[in-house]
Amino acid sequence: MKAYRIAIVGLGPKGLYAFERLLAQLGKLEIDKNIEVHLFEKSGNFGAGEIYDPVQPSYLLMNYPNRNINVWPSEILKPVVDNRLSFAEWIAKATYSKDSNLNDHFASRSMVGYYLTECFEKLYRAGISSYRIVKHRSSVVSIIKKAGVYELGYLDELDAKDQFLTVNNILISTGHCSWKGQLQEKEKPESTSETRKSFIPFIYPVDSKLSPIQSNTQVAIKGMGLTFIDALLALTEGRGGRFIKKDDESYIYEPSKREPGKIYGFCRSGLPMIPRSTGEGKKPYLPVFFTLRSIYGRIVPGDKPSFLKNILPLYILEAEYNFYKVAFHKRGLNLDPDDDVDRFRCQILKFHKDYPNEQTFNFENIFKPVDFQNPTYNLGPLAYLRYVMSEAELGSEKSPFMAAVLTWGNISEQFSAIYNFGGMTAESHRFFDLNYRSQLNRISYGPPLTNMKKILALMEYGILNLDYSKNPVVKRKNNKWTLKVANRVPVNAEVLVDARIPTNTSRDNWSELLIGLQNNELLREFIVPGKESYNTGCPEVDRSGRLIDSKGNINPDITLYGTLTEGITYDNDSLSRTKNNFASDWALRTAMSYSNIGLNSNIKTLRKI
């Protein structure tokens, strides 16, 4: 019997989780196992991928506390290896740390990478005793179906040769690389070296990608999310600058004279992310207003909920409840945990009557550069940054503002259950994706407070300028970039850095692999039906992650997992083992599929005898 070949394309964290479940399921089989497992990871960092490269600079921090990182699942079927440590346990052992707060810290991405690769090596060593496991430092660029099996075309990263492999079963977990179609075009060599030096379309790995930027140059950075922070730190701390901590835990910046002369950050909203302290998210959260029962109880059975009519109002109520829960507590009062809106409003009215100077909740102000205590005018970039940092220092148990801001992260699981697989109306999906997704990411999934203190120090020193941060007009002329905003003199930058992570805004962003799958009719775009159907820019899968082909048929042999499904699913955190977990179902199906083939082969062999 020919070997049954399984391929995992993309061996970052999601591919690692799938590999772990696959070995666990295959280990249950009681028939002879003639199995090959082929693992494709172009970075060579098996288990960590490109984002969690173990050799990246240590100043690039996670925005995910240590307690949430654990390769080993809490499932009935146990992993095939012993001595399974969570990330925090692994750090304690590796560093001999006795820090009781280690669970709450934000580690470097490189440290997470070391953990992930070590877990992979444990699994790899356990698996090679039973199966042929092949590691390919390669990019899979095509998948073609031929006579019931699949031919993978891949490019070896070391010798740049095109190669092919026939496989039976495939899981694809290529993460953000899935949406690098346009980006790859931008990264191609252009006509002159001067043009290449003036535009950097992607910052990772930071050491090599940002190296063309010379000291004392003027730099503009597009995007002000987590990648923006990484770019800033790479151009300052990464070039020998020092952040010196003061007694009040704030920083001052001491330059190295090798950093840019000025850095201009900008994005559509013009606002930085709201940071989080280490203690956020430790306690389980039980929604009061934003429940599935409340949402579906307000619509006709069989209808889909509307984001504006059925979902947003309950989110606002939930944020308002969290805001006042803290405000009441600061006055020694308790807010009744009751989902009766009228009673809730009565409590709020009485509270403001008794305490007229207390700040009033205004949902729109969550997204504006204002102080909740005095929201009559907009704060400047420096003042706003100081405000949100002071609130983050207090945390969501003491700051009504932070309690409201972090509400979305607490209810995202409930929202995912509604959003996934076209659960809202087409108009709602479009409206949410275009108007709310990025705003909610900015306020809910911000960086650790330590990193934002460094950003503040760079502003106070004067190297970082956010005066042109709100959606400037950007024009290129003579290999320079001009930033224009109303009521300010335009400024020029020698280099423009795009500090945004690729997303699936349309099929134009699809990778070569996805485009090939579509051209070969193995894939189609997920479209939410409606009066005006919505093209999500995401490949369509069923609720187990199995690919849907051009004719609407389920392909049991190809499964997508992780960021690649963002748009048909929501909130695919790269390190989560539970959110939109297609790995466990895939591993079980794969083992069952091989088991059936193995049993049939054994029957044929007996008949021949």
Side-chain angles (χ1 to χ4, degrees):
M1 185 179 73
K2 290 184 178 180
Y4 184 83
R5 287 177 175 168
I6 303 164
I8 301 178
V9 180
L11 245 293
K14 292 299 190 187
L16 173 62
Y17 300 161
F19 181 49
E20 183 278 319
R21 284 292 83 191
L22 177 66
L23 293 183
Q25 289 291 350
L26 294 179
K28 294 187 341 182
L29 299 181
E30 297 180 355
I31 58 177
D32 292 336
K33 304 166 189 174
N34 186 13
I35 293 172
E36 291 181 10
V37 182
H38 291 262
L39 309 174
F40 293 85
E41 174 51 49
K42 67 176 184 178
S43 71
N45 301 318
F46 289 87
E50 189 175 49
I51 299 297
Y52 300 99
D53 185 344
V55 298
Q56 64 188 301
S58 60
Y59 54 76
L60 302 179
L61 300 183
M62 299 290 300
N63 69 325
Y64 205 54
N66 296 344
R67 63 178 176 272
N68 291 338
I69 304 172
N70 192 348
V71 163
W72 313 111
S74 300
E75 297 185 22
I76 295 174
L77 182 61
K78 301 301 179 185
V80 296
V81 300
D82 298 323
N83 300 319
R84 302 183 293 270
L85 301 178
S86 70
F87 179 52
E89 292 168 339
W90 179 86
I91 293 178
K93 182 178 179 180
T95 62
Y96 302 99
S97 175
K98 296 182 180 179
D99 187 347
S100 59
N101 296 319
L102 195 58
N103 272 325
D104 299 333
H105 293 174
F106 293 92
S108 67
R109 283 212 297 274
S110 59
M111 184 70 78
V112 175
Y114 280 115
Y115 169 68
L116 295 171
T117 54
E118 184 174 304
C119 291
F120 169 79
E121 286 301 325
K122 280 187 175 183
L123 288 164
Y124 176 74
R125 290 194 298 270
I128 56 176
S129 60
S130 302
Y131 323 105
R132 181 170 181 250
I133 302 177
V134 184
K135 295 187 285 186
H136 302 267
R137 185 174 180 178
S138 309
S139 301
V140 175
V141 295
S142 65
I143 297 175
I144 301 172
K145 189 172 184 178
K146 291 185 175 181
V149 292
Y150 300 87
E151 181 184 82
L152 268 65
Y154 59 99
L155 180 65
D156 192 283
E157 294 292 319
L158 299 179
D159 59 19
K161 290 183 178 179
D162 292 327
Q163 300 187 48
F164 299 92
L165 177 73
T166 300
V167 300
N168 303 85
N169 190 289
I170 309 166
L171 180 133
I172 307 175
S173 54
T174 47
H176 290 291
C177 291
S178 311
W179 321 123
K180 289 182 71 172
Q182 289 189 23
L183 182 60
Q184 287 166 345
E185 289 297 316
K186 293 177 183 177
E187 288 184 318
K188 288 181 178 179
E190 296 181 36
S191 55
T192 66
S193 60
E194 287 302 315
T195 302
R196 291 198 298 272
K197 289 179 181 178
S198 68
F199 177 57
I200 298 173
F202 191 63
I203 76 163
Y204 299 109
V206 294
D207 288 341
S208 60
K209 289 295 179 68
L210 299 179
S211 62
I213 298 176
Q214 302 297 311
S215 60
N216 295 318
T217 56
Q218 310 295 300
V219 178
I221 302 181
K222 184 176 185 177
M224 290 174 58
L226 299 173
T227 308
F228 167 71
I229 295 172
D230 287 352
L232 280 174
L233 296 180
L235 291 171
T236 53
E237 188 171 6
R239 296 194 169 190
R242 296 174 59 219
F243 289 98
I244 301 171
K245 186 178 287 189
K246 299 191 293 185
D247 292 339
D248 63 357
E249 299 295 311
S250 65
Y251 289 102
I252 57 173
Y253 182 66
E254 182 179 90
S256 67
K257 308 303 181 184
R258 294 194 289 119
E259 51 272 285
K262 189 76 70 176
I263 300 173
Y264 299 95
F266 68 93
C267 64
R268 187 169 61 178
S269 71
L271 299 176
M273 299 190 82
I274 295 177
R276 291 180 290 174
S277 62
T278 58
E280 299 296 359
K282 292 176 66 174
K283 297 179 179 179
Y285 183 81
L286 186 65
V288 175
F289 294 102
F290 197 90
T291 64
L292 298 181
R293 177 179 59 82
S294 296
I295 291 167
Y296 287 106
R298 287 168 166 78
I299 62 175
V300 175
D303 284 357
K304 292 182 177 182
S306 159
F307 181 77
L308 285 174
K309 294 180 180 178
N310 309 121
I311 296 171
L312 183 59
L314 292 182
Y315 166 41
I316 294 173
L317 273 174
E318 193 75 24
E320 186 175 11
Y321 174 83
N322 287 326
F323 178 92
Y324 281 110
K325 182 180 178 181
V326 176
F328 273 47
H329 182 72
K330 288 174 67 177
R331 291 290 186 177
L333 305 172
N334 290 319
L335 181 61
D336 293 338
D338 192 327
D339 65 355
D340 186 290
V341 176
D342 291 335
R343 283 199 292 269
F344 173 60
R345 292 280 177 236
C346 287
Q347 292 181 79
I348 302 307
L349 288 171
K350 186 177 187 306
F351 177 75
H352 282 295
K353 183 178 180 181
D354 294 342
Y355 304 99
N357 293 326
E358 279 288 341
Q359 54 188 305
T360 302
F361 176 79
N362 184 320
F363 177 72
E364 292 182 356
N365 287 343
I366 289 177
F367 306 100
K368 294 179 179 180
V370 297
D371 181 334
F372 257 55
Q373 193 68 46
N374 187 14
T376 54
Y377 63 93
N378 288 348
L379 300 173
L382 185 58
Y384 177 70
L385 192 55
R386 286 173 175 160
Y387 169 69
V388 295
M389 286 178 57
S390 66
E391 296 297 305
E393 288 270 19
L394 291 173
S396 59
E397 293 191 359
K398 294 182 179 179
S399 162
F401 170 78
M402 288 302 295
V405 158
L406 296 180
T407 295
W408 183 258
N410 289 327
I411 62 173
S412 63
E413 185 176 342
Q414 285 79 8
F415 178 73
S416 295
I418 303 165
Y419 176 99
N420 288 0
F421 303 99
M424 297 188 296
T425 63
E427 297 80 5
S428 293
H429 271 261
R430 178 184 290 107
F431 181 82
F432 176 81
D433 285 349
L434 297 179
N435 297 284
Y436 268 89
R437 181 190 290 272
S438 61
Q439 289 196 74
L440 292 169
N441 285 342
R442 183 184 74 80
I443 69 171
S444 304
Y445 306 114
L449 192 53
T450 298
N451 267 2
M452 201 54 86
K453 287 181 179 180
K454 292 181 178 180
I455 303 308
L456 178 61
L458 292 174
M459 287 190 69
E460 291 174 336
Y461 178 76
I463 191 172
L464 174 61
N465 184 307
L466 298 183
D467 291 341
Y468 298 80
S469 64
K470 185 171 175 57
N471 205 24
V473 176
V474 182
K475 291 186 177 180
R476 184 176 188 170
K477 186 177 181 180
N478 298 327
N479 288 328
K480 287 192 176 182
W481 303 86
T482 301
L483 275 62
K484 293 182 180 180
V485 295
N487 303 319
R488 287 192 182 275
V489 177
V491 293
N492 293 321
E494 287 97 335
V495 182
L496 174 63
V497 178
D498 194 334
R500 298 174 300 169
I501 291 293
T503 57
N504 59 326
T505 52
S506 76
R507 286 181 297 174
D508 293 338
N509 292 326
W510 282 11
S511 65
E512 182 181 358
L513 174 59
L514 292 184
I515 292 171
L517 284 166
Q518 183 185 43
N519 291 340
N520 293 324
E521 300 186 339
L522 292 172
L523 173 157
R524 70 180 186 184
E525 181 181 11
F526 177 56
I527 299 174
V528 184
K531 292 181 180 178
E532 295 184 10
S533 297
Y534 173 47
N535 292 50
T536 63
C538 175
E540 185 173 359
V541 296
D542 75 350
R543 291 184 176 272
S544 295
R546 295 176 295 183
L547 201 59
I548 306 295
D549 69 17
S550 61
K551 296 179 180 178
N553 300 315
I554 295 172
N555 186 331
D557 303 321
I558 304 179
T559 296
L560 309 187
Y561 179 36
T563 301
L564 184 49
T565 69
E566 191 74 31
I568 192 170
T569 60
Y570 181 72
D571 196 16
N572 289 278
D573 192 292
S574 62
L575 288 170
S576 173
R577 288 231 51 160
T578 57
K579 291 179 180 177
N580 303 315
N581 175 22
F582 297 149
S584 296
D585 283 350
W586 167 76
L588 176 59
R589 289 196 310 271
T590 303
M592 292 175 64
S593 176
Y594 173 75
S595 181
N596 290 334
I597 291 174
L599 288 173
N600 290 336
S601 298
N602 288 341
I603 290 170
K604 290 176 182 177
T605 302
L606 287 172
R607 285 174 179 169
K608 288 180 182 178
I609 294 172

